[in-house]
Amino acid sequence: LQSNDFKTWNLAFLREHCDVFEDAEENKLEHTQIHNKFQQEVEDRIEAAVEGTDVDMVALMDRLPAFMSTTTSDQIPDGADPEVHEAVDTLTSMTDFETFKAA
């Protein structure tokens, strides 16, 4: 999430699809499809980034819900890495359709 490659890809994706979204209450099926595509591509990028590393994805996924339930964007637990916390906040916001739409 911090890499220039990810930031460049993210900006390009948003620019490519921004004309589809209007400032309206009603959402189109196409909006959901674009959001789903975005989420899948983010997941694919994360998997590619951790491939070949010593990151245990099963353990990470097991621990993630507890981490998310004990932290808020205003409160970082003692010993927690602020960058990790920011990354989790960013990923969480990406799964929220309204936040995605507003971007």
Side-chain angles (χ1 to χ4, degrees), residues 14 20-22 24-39 91-103:
L14 295 175
V20 175
F21 293 87
E22 302 128 8
E25 290 285 323
E26 184 100 10
N27 294 310
K28 299 177 182 177
L29 175 60
E30 184 178 16
H31 297 167
T32 302
Q33 293 169 332
I34 292 169
H35 183 236
N36 289 342
K37 179 181 178 185
F38 178 79
Q39 288 184 90
L91 289 172
T92 302
S93 70
M94 288 178 183
T95 62
D96 179 72
F97 177 76
E98 292 301 324
T99 302
F100 174 80
K101 183 179 172 183

Side-chain angles (χ1 to χ4, degrees), residues 1-10 45 49:
L1 295 177
Q2 303 289 334
S3 74
N4 286 334
D5 179 53
F6 182 83
K7 291 174 184 177
T8 300
W9 168 82
N10 186 37
R45 288 176 167 276

Side-chain angles (χ1 to χ4, degrees), residues 19-102:
D19 292 338
V20 175
F21 293 87
E22 302 128 8
D23 188 18
E25 290 285 323
E26 184 100 10
N27 294 310
K28 299 177 182 177
L29 175 60
E30 184 178 16
H31 297 167
T32 302
Q33 293 169 332
I34 292 169
H35 183 236
N36 289 342
K37 179 181 178 185
F38 178 79
Q39 288 184 90
Q40 185 60 55
E41 290 189 27
V42 168
E43 289 177 23
D44 292 346
R45 288 176 167 276
I46 291 169
E47 288 176 5
V50 299
E51 189 174 292
T53 68
D54 61 352
V55 173
D56 182 346
M57 287 302 290
V58 173
L60 175 65
M61 296 306 292
D62 286 344
R63 293 183 193 136
L64 192 56
F67 176 83
M68 292 174 61
S69 69
T70 59
T71 62
T72 65
S73 57
D74 299 330
Q75 177 185 8
I76 300 173
D78 291 339
D81 184 339
E83 288 184 10
V84 171
H85 191 270
E86 181 180 342
V88 170
D89 271 354
T90 301
L91 289 172
T92 302
S93 70
M94 288 178 183
T95 62
D96 179 72
F97 177 76
E98 292 301 324
T99 302
F100 174 80
K101 183 179 172 183

